[in-house]
Amino acid sequence: MTTPPYPSYPEDLERPGLVRTGRSTFVRPIRPEDADRLVAFVGTLSRATLAYRSLGPVVRARDDVIRRGAHVDYLNELALVALAGDEIAGLVRYVRDPQEPEHAEVTFTIRDDHQSEGFGRLLLEHIAAAARARGIRVLEADVLADNARMINVFLGSGYRTQAGPPGQIIHFEIAVDPQAQAVARAERREQTAVRRSLKPLLEPRSVAVIGANRDPLTIGHEIVANLLRGGFAGSVFPVNPRAERIAGARAYGSVRDLPEPPDLALVAVRAEAVPGVVRECAEVGVKAVVVVSTGFGETGAEGRAGELELARFARASGMRLVGPNCMGVVNTAPAARLAATFSPALPTPGRVAMSSQSGPLGLAVLDYARRLRLGFSGFVSVGHAVDVSTDELLQWWEEDPATSVILLHVETFGDPRRFARVARRIAPRKPIVAVHPGHADSAVSSLFAQSGVIRTRSLQELFDVALLLAHQPPPPGNRVAVITNAGGPAALTVGACAASGLCVPPLGERTRQTLRPTLAPRADVSNPIDLTPTATAAHYRRALDAALADDGIDAAVVLFMPPLADKPDEVASAILDAAAARPDKPVLASFLGGAGVADLLHRGDLVVPTYTFPEAAATSLGHAAAYQTWRSTPAGVVPDLAGVDAERARTLIASCAPGPVPAAVAAELLASYGIAVPGGEPGPGPDAFLTVRADPVFGPVVAFGLTGDYADLMADVAHRVTPLSDRDAREMVRSLRAAPLLDGRTGGPGVDLAALEETVLRISAMVEDHPEIEALELRPVRLLPPGDGVAVAHATIRLTDNTAAGGSS
């Protein structure tokens, strides 16, 4: 077997990570200089952990033996460490089998105080990717039968696992997926290239404003003024042939007259002059252009053709282009301080980044964010997004340490498939919240949820959720304590929680016993906790402390009616104190009728988000809880499928014209992906259908449902975006309301769910491999008893003409 050469230390394996609890870590290969750190790590391990690691009686190794573990060749032996601060929180190591070089033994060691946080699963993902790249196909592990945590890591990993016979020691074989690794490598390469290309746009060293104007309140003047007022440290070059100075800065006649080629140029001239200006920028070596000018795609087909040509020219010239019809870019990082926009409201620094596809909407967004005291790390108005697109900005903010929440106003995407993949990669570490102008149909909602994107119904809701996620952690569960001094708002909050997928359970008996003697005599200590209108700040503090300490509570919503009590500032201070004492559980507030309350609930970096009405708090918390559930669930893998002949399918597609494919060719295409079309009689359950359509937002969308009234009258149809993982296929098939008809819960034998899931995966692989497939329909799909598979009775496929498709990448 031939294995690829690797450097002595593979820097590409250094990556940030996030464990299940939300703790961030840094995973990297072990180094020789880690020897003392490794000794200290082993010294912290309990006898039980050492016994699990050594599969038997504890024998503590000598320090010199432990130090040798820091020396590996990074090819046949590799160890990865997950760091918590400067210490090792967990370690995974594989050693290649010299007799079977595609196999390797893998061992995990997690420090005792981190064993319930998800480090094992995180390290498995990293070591599997590294092993695949080094020609290893199977990782083998021996685990004591009572080591439930490690067994659950393997069984819940999403990788194909095979366990040996039960006994004192269980032998696992974990098959890693080379296709998934190839995709991951391509994504890493793409991310590096995207970030490098966007650096002149978001971190320029110099900026030119072409179309700068001497008159205040004009777009060209305000961009120059904002750049200077915002503290941009580089050179600002106003370009106007009829002015000597603009906003106090020296002006130049043309971009060719500038003393140096600027990294970034903002273009604010008439639409007909834009192509010439962009050409001049290319000639002098400008690296990025933001076209603020209007008069392009919004004017019709001719304008759309013009902006696409502009994008093609910029790409061919090595420039990145934002717009046209946008309001500019903002980066509040201290090293950048870029306010390249004409907006009169500039954002304050913060943790939220946003991409908006509407220029006018962006003006309102920045103004509203300032009133909310919601700070931004970055803001980009992409306009018509003919070049720089939302998914590329996601990749920039993915590694931006100043950004912890990403907001999107999306209408279209430069590359729908890439957006879905990028969002799936980022969302486990940084929440993505999006508002989409389309109808709130189940298909789009399902697709956002599959990618981990939190979909909101309005801009107001978008910012409500952002306010929570920017300042508080997602809740570990959906159980909420409601604390109030008025019964009416509490009842509204309970109802809103139920509508948002949350529950308001009774407090634990110990919590109620703690609270009763400390609150007013008439206070209700069940849940909601009604402190009565006479509640003081001390009552609020005691109630919130107790609720957050309750193991049956994951979050708290605090309601306060200022007219019923004095000194809202003291109550706000008590809430902040309690929230600071339990940073692992989110606290939200609603001071009904209170003015200026948002200011009271800020204390340095500690912010308790406050809402005018409690329903908004419950809705935001429901989104955050659903997001936490999503990112805590194993993502699954896109498996290799036996019996696939992609080259045969490619030849068949090349032989067909755009439009419907002949029935015989459609059957051959499906057969090349292991799907037969034999017809067949109906099975014991209802028939089903599988379809694929090209969604304008997400690309290929697979739909599954049962034929007849289930889909037609009940709209009981499940949707997923390709590529589908095994988890996606499993959830898709089982997510129908009519799923009990399939798995035997209604008393019948059920159907062959495994074969149905595999058919879904084969369809996903087919449309992923061949983007020429515009639409596909298998109807009916005969659902047969367990073990008998499925039978496709009829299939139609339609091809698109990719050569005629417009747009940019």
Side-chain angles (χ1 to χ4, degrees):
M1 183 184 108
T2 302
T3 54
Y6 281 88
S8 57
Y9 180 81
E11 293 184 1
D12 63 304
L13 297 184
E14 293 185 345
R15 300 198 69 187
L18 192 72
V19 296
R20 175 180 52 80
T21 60
R23 176 194 288 271
S24 60
T25 184
F26 188 76
V27 179
R28 63 166 174 81
I30 202 164
R31 304 166 179 159
E33 55 266 32
D34 289 323
D36 289 339
R37 186 179 284 110
L38 189 58
V39 170
F41 168 67
V42 174
T44 67
L45 303 178
S46 67
R47 295 179 65 86
T49 296
L50 288 170
Y52 282 141
R53 171 64 182 83
S54 58
L55 301 178
V58 175
V59 178
R60 288 193 178 271
R62 300 194 315 268
D63 287 357
D64 60 326
V65 175
I66 296 172
R67 286 191 173 92
R68 290 180 206 153
H71 298 264
V72 297
D73 63 9
Y74 304 112
L75 181 60
N76 296 312
E77 181 179 6
L78 174 66
L80 303 178
V81 294
L83 301 179
D86 195 43
E87 299 177 339
I88 298 175
L91 179 145
V92 61
R93 182 188 306 272
Y94 80 63
V95 178
R96 193 190 300 267
D97 186 338
Q99 303 302 319
E100 294 185 81
E102 290 191 349
H103 288 234
E105 180 185 4
V106 64
T107 56
F108 294 78
T109 312
I110 311 298
R111 208 170 72 188
D112 290 68
D113 55 341
H114 293 294
Q115 286 182 0
S116 63
E117 297 182 19
F119 277 92
R121 186 163 295 170
L122 177 70
L123 287 172
L124 174 59
E125 293 173 359
H126 283 259
I127 201 70
R132 286 193 296 261
R134 287 152 178 79
I136 294 169
R137 297 291 172 258
V138 177
L139 295 174
E140 300 186 25
D142 289 324
V143 183
L144 288 177
D146 63 343
N147 190 352
R149 282 179 176 153
M150 203 68 244
I151 291 171
N152 288 336
V153 165
F154 292 143
L155 295 180
S157 66
Y159 296 110
R160 296 189 301 276
T161 59
Q162 183 175 1
Q168 184 179 2
I169 296 177
I170 301 175
H171 180 76
F172 279 94
E173 292 191 355
I174 304 121
V176 296
D177 178 20
Q179 182 181 1
Q181 173 63 5
V183 171
R185 283 190 165 190
E187 288 179 348
R188 287 200 298 270
R189 288 194 298 269
E190 174 194 278
Q191 183 184 6
T192 299
V194 166
R195 287 186 57 79
R196 287 176 178 171
S197 74
L198 294 184
K199 189 175 181 65
L201 171 70
L202 296 169
E203 294 181 353
R205 294 167 297 179
S206 54
V207 181
V209 181
I210 305 167
N213 200 301
R214 287 174 293 189
D215 298 332
L217 302 182
T218 59
I219 289 177
H221 183 278
E222 289 306 299
I223 293 174
V224 176
N226 279 341
L227 283 165
L228 298 173
R229 187 165 55 239
F232 179 64
S235 301
V236 177
F237 303 124
V239 176
N240 185 325
R242 293 182 295 278
E244 293 184 359
R245 303 191 74 82
I246 294 176
R250 177 188 171 185
Y252 297 83
S254 77
V255 71
R256 292 191 178 92
D257 299 327
L258 301 181
E260 63 182 73
D263 283 345
L264 172 64
L266 284 98
V267 179
V269 300
R270 298 184 314 276
E272 58 268 25
V274 169
V277 168
V278 172
R279 186 172 297 276
E280 284 187 359
C281 289
E283 291 171 354
V284 302
V286 173
K287 298 182 178 66
V289 177
V290 174
V291 179
V292 176
S293 310
T294 60
F296 288 90
E298 74 276 14
T299 65
E302 184 176 349
R304 178 63 179 168
E307 67 186 17
L308 293 177
E309 178 57 35
L310 200 64
R312 283 190 286 267
F313 173 80
R315 281 281 190 157
S317 302
M319 295 190 300
R320 300 308 311 270
L321 186 146
V322 172
N325 193 12
C326 69
M327 58 171 286
V329 300
V330 175
N331 185 351
T332 65
R337 295 187 181 278
L338 178 70
T341 175
F342 57 87
S343 172
L346 296 181
T348 57
R351 303 171 183 172
V352 176
M354 182 172 184
S355 167
S356 171
Q357 287 192 282
S358 169
L361 184 63
L363 296 174
V365 161
L366 292 181
D367 178 66
Y368 184 63
R370 282 190 72 90
R371 288 189 278 122
L372 282 180
R373 294 191 58 174
L374 183 66
F376 278 79
S377 59
F379 180 90
V380 179
S381 169
V382 295
H384 295 169
V386 294
D387 178 27
V388 174
S389 57
T390 299
D391 56 86
E392 292 182 306
L393 293 170
L394 281 174
Q395 293 180 81
W396 174 271
W397 290 320
E398 176 182 9
E399 301 300 333
D400 178 17
T403 299
S404 59
V405 180
I406 302 171
L407 308 183
L408 306 177
H409 165 251
V410 292
E411 295 174 359
T412 59
F413 298 86
D415 185 331
R417 295 185 178 198
R418 182 167 60 182
F419 168 81
R421 293 192 183 99
V422 170
R424 290 183 203 181
R425 185 179 75 231
I426 297 173
R429 296 187 292 121
K430 296 185 179 184
I432 302 170
V433 191
V435 61
H436 182 267
H439 298 295
D441 58 276
S442 60
V444 175
S445 296
S446 296
L447 297 174
F448 272 112
Q450 179 192 357
S451 302
V453 177
I454 301 169
R455 186 185 187 186
T456 61
R457 295 165 291 185
S458 65
L459 282 170
Q460 175 72 58
E461 192 174 306
L462 178 89
F463 281 100
D464 286 344
V465 177
L467 199 61
L468 167 59
L469 293 175
H471 301 300
Q472 295 283 309
N478 70 340
R479 301 164 298 178
V480 182
V482 178
I483 301 171
T484 183
N485 64 346
L492 290 174
T493 306
V494 171
C497 284
S500 301
L502 305 169
C503 65
V504 183
L507 299 178
E509 180 58 33
R510 178 178 297 179
T511 303
R512 294 197 295 271
Q513 291 177 359
T514 300
L515 282 175
R516 283 191 186 101
T518 66
L519 301 180
R522 296 174 57 191
D524 184 349
V525 296
S526 52
N527 192 14
I529 306 173
D530 190 348
L531 303 177
T532 77
T534 62
T536 65
H539 291 147
Y540 269 94
R541 175 65 196 271
R542 293 168 193 153
L544 188 52
D545 279 341
L548 294 176
D550 192 317
D551 290 338
I553 295 297
D554 302 305
V557 176
V558 184
L559 311 178
F560 178 67
M561 289 289 288
L564 301 179
D566 296 329
K567 301 179 180 178
D569 55 334
E570 293 183 4
V571 173
S573 181
I575 294 171
L576 287 169
D577 291 341
R582 287 302 302 259
D584 56 322
K585 295 183 179 182
V587 177
L588 297 78
S590 178
F591 278 37
L592 290 90
V597 175
D599 294 335
L600 299 179
L601 289 166
H602 283 241
R603 182 190 294 162
D605 291 335
L606 175 61
V607 178
V608 171
T610 181
Y611 302 87
T612 303
F613 298 109
E615 295 93 335
T619 300
S620 301
L621 193 57
H623 281 303
Y627 164 71
Q628 179 64 12
T629 298
W630 177 86
R631 76 173 184 176
S632 300
T633 304
V637 295
V638 179
D640 276 340
L641 298 166
V644 170
D645 189 346
E647 287 302 319
R648 173 62 179 158
R650 193 167 289 112
T651 301
L652 290 166
I653 289 173
S655 69
C656 296
V661 170
V665 178
E668 283 193 68
L669 275 172
L670 290 165
S672 67
Y673 275 78
I675 302 172
V677 189
E681 295 299 320
D687 288 339
F689 64 86
L690 276 168
T691 67
V692 177
R693 63 178 176 85
D695 186 89
V697 175
F698 283 96
V701 176
V702 181
F704 167 71
L706 303 183
T707 57
D709 291 346
Y710 302 102
D712 298 338
L713 299 181
M714 300 171 57
D716 191 14
V717 181
H719 301 82
R720 293 295 185 272
V721 62
T722 64
L724 270 67
S725 69
D726 51 2
R727 168 190 164 183
D728 295 330
R730 184 168 56 253
E731 291 180 349
M732 183 181 194
V733 167
R734 289 165 170 78
S735 66
L736 298 181
R737 295 193 297 275
L741 297 173
L742 306 180
D743 60 14
R745 280 180 283 170
T746 57
V751 303
D752 195 335
L753 289 174
L756 180 57
E757 292 167 16
E758 183 176 324
T759 302
V760 171
L761 290 170
R762 290 181 181 277
I763 290 296
S764 170
M766 184 176 179
V767 298
E768 274 292 291
D769 290 345
H770 308 287
E772 301 91 340
I773 297 175
E774 181 180 54
L776 179 150
E777 182 171 1
L778 308 183
R779 186 192 296 263
V781 177
R782 310 293 193 192
L783 303 181
L784 306 179
D788 290 347
V790 298
V792 178
H794 183 70
T796 59
I797 297 176
R798 181 180 179 86
L799 303 180
T800 186
D801 183 2
N802 276 347
T803 61
S808 67
S809 61

